[in-house]
Amino acid sequence: MLALLLAGVPSAALLGACAAPPVEFRVGFSMNEERRAPLPVAFTAQAPAGYRVEWDFGDGGSGQGTSAAHTYYRAGTYTVRARLLDERGQPRATASGPVTVLSGGPEHAELVVLLGRGEVRLSAAGSVAYRPGTPAFTLDGRPVGAGPVPVAAGAYRATVRLPGESGVLERSVAFRVAPLPGSVPFETEVLRLTNQARARGWNCTTLREGGPALPPLARDPQLEVAALAQSAGMALNGYFDHRSALDGSTPAQRVQATGLRVRASAENIAAGQETPEEVVRGWLRSPGHCRNIMGDFTRLGVAYVNRPDSPYGRYWTQVFATPAQ
């Protein structure tokens, strides 16, 4: 996520014969670093108690409050303006700045299938549609919500439809559901060993402890959903890759599909290892995986799936993230 900060400029409003004292007014906004439409942007303002904030997003949209969210559906550069109003409704400060939105390319629908144990979640994360609209999902032809949707073992076909400038955008994904044996103690131990490495200052270059200690990662239920979807997808579809062979989703799309807004995220995967000690030891001795474990993250999701009739048998996933403010 990209975060920007603007300083407010006091307005020239007068109270009686004396100029109003200046007030501190700071405005920030954060967005995906790629800046591609449709681009959701989160706006925040620091305002004194009793004051209110009005937003002009520069594309005809507006909002109110110290926190506001807006989606830009077209490429272009927009001037965002925020006004700080006192309890009388008089403007006391203003802040403005540009938001540049790049083209997301041709319109198309994406469908992320987050497999779980006896349930599935569906999301249109990653879709490119240049008009506002709500995705509509079906499972084997019957309308369903985003989930979680209860499912029994078997084969399914999910479809998403959403409005675009060029018409209705649609995509379908076929998938199957089967039992996904796991181990809560194994997952808990992966978290413990990961935090132990951070606390002892594991150095990813020298492969030794003794560096700066890092705070522990907190287990996050939404990241657990993304991690389980990846382990389940690999176990049920016989692949080993960060990009899902089930629906084509990336790690970032799967995190987005859970509904969690993050500043940054990353994923570690492994297959075949029999114990938490073996898998964490392997990650710590692999430069890219180690940098994730020792990265500037605050949350973690862990998922372990054991499927003996699959190519690797055991599948492990860690999903790291720092939530957006």
Side-chain angles (χ1 to χ4, degrees), residues 118-193:
E119 63 183 32
V120 64
R121 291 171 167 85
L122 305 175
S123 170
S127 298
V128 175
Y130 295 134
R131 57 168 293 185
T134 302
F137 301 100
T138 61
L139 190 61
D140 287 345
R142 64 183 179 91
V144 295
V149 180
V151 288
Y156 296 87
R157 184 176 184 84
T159 299
V160 62
R161 296 180 179 87
L162 67 158
E165 280 195 332
S166 56
V168 176
L169 309 175
E170 181 177 320
R171 188 185 175 207
S172 296
V173 172
F175 64 95
R176 64 191 182 99
V177 174
L180 297 170
S183 170
V184 172
F186 271 19
E187 293 171 350
T188 302
E189 182 66 0
V190 167
L191 174 65
R192 188 190 72 81
L193 292 171

Side-chain angles (χ1 to χ4, degrees), residues 222-272:
Q222 288 171 278
L223 296 181
E224 301 267 293
V225 171
L228 179 56
Q230 174 68 337
S231 288
M234 292 189 294
L236 293 174
N237 294 277
Y239 68 91
F240 182 72
D241 198 301
H242 289 289
R243 182 175 286 276
S244 170
L246 169 64
D247 56 20
S249 63
T250 64
Q253 277 180 282
R254 291 189 288 274
V255 172
Q256 182 185 354
T258 69
L260 182 66
R261 290 186 59 255
V262 301
R263 288 198 292 108
S265 64
E267 180 183 85
N268 283 348
I269 58 175

Side-chain angles (χ1 to χ4, degrees), residues 18-282:
C18 300
V23 293
E24 184 176 358
F25 183 42
R26 299 172 70 83
V27 174
F29 52 99
S30 60
M31 68 197 81
N32 186 287
E33 290 185 1
E34 294 184 351
R35 297 172 175 255
R36 299 192 179 278
L39 179 66
V41 181
F43 297 91
T44 58
Q46 297 178 12
Y51 287 66
R52 60 189 178 91
V53 180
E54 291 184 345
W55 300 90
D56 177 349
F57 300 123
D59 64 347
S62 61
Q64 295 188 11
T66 55
S67 297
H70 185 68
T71 298
Y72 293 91
Y73 288 92
R74 290 180 174 274
T77 297
Y78 303 91
T79 299
V80 179
R81 294 182 174 86
R83 293 200 309 162
L84 180 68
L85 307 178
D86 63 20
E87 57 274 6
R88 298 182 179 181
Q90 297 298 314
R92 292 295 305 280
T94 61
S96 65
V99 173
T100 299
V101 183
L102 305 177
S103 172
E107 288 189 310
H108 66 278
E110 294 284 356
L111 178 57
V112 180
V113 178
L114 298 177
L115 295 174
R117 291 186 170 93
E119 63 183 32
V120 64
R121 291 171 167 85
L122 305 175
S123 170
S127 298
V128 175
Y130 295 134
R131 57 168 293 185
T134 302
F137 301 100
T138 61
L139 190 61
D140 287 345
R142 64 183 179 91
V144 295
V149 180
V151 288
Y156 296 87
R157 184 176 184 84
T159 299
V160 62
R161 296 180 179 87
L162 67 158
E165 280 195 332
S166 56
V168 176
L169 309 175
E170 181 177 320
R171 188 185 175 207
S172 296
V173 172
F175 64 95
R176 64 191 182 99
V177 174
L180 297 170
S183 170
V184 172
F186 271 19
E187 293 171 350
T188 302
E189 182 66 0
V190 167
L191 174 65
R192 188 190 72 81
L193 292 171
T194 296
N195 281 334
Q196 181 184 80
R198 289 172 63 88
R200 294 179 177 178
W202 182 264
N203 188 305
C204 297
T205 301
T206 64
L207 304 183
R208 293 180 180 177
E209 297 176 348
L214 296 176
L217 300 171
R219 201 161 182 177
D220 186 281
Q222 288 171 278
L223 296 181
E224 301 267 293
V225 171
L228 179 56
Q230 174 68 337
S231 288
M234 292 189 294
L236 293 174
N237 294 277
Y239 68 91
F240 182 72
D241 198 301
H242 289 289
R243 182 175 286 276
S244 170
L246 169 64
D247 56 20
S249 63
T250 64
Q253 277 180 282
R254 291 189 288 274
V255 172
Q256 182 185 354
T258 69
L260 182 66
R261 290 186 59 255
V262 301
R263 288 198 292 108
S265 64
E267 180 183 85
N268 283 348
I269 58 175
Q273 295 83 358
E274 295 189 358
T275 65
E277 292 78 12
E278 183 183 359
V279 72
V280 174
R281 183 168 60 247

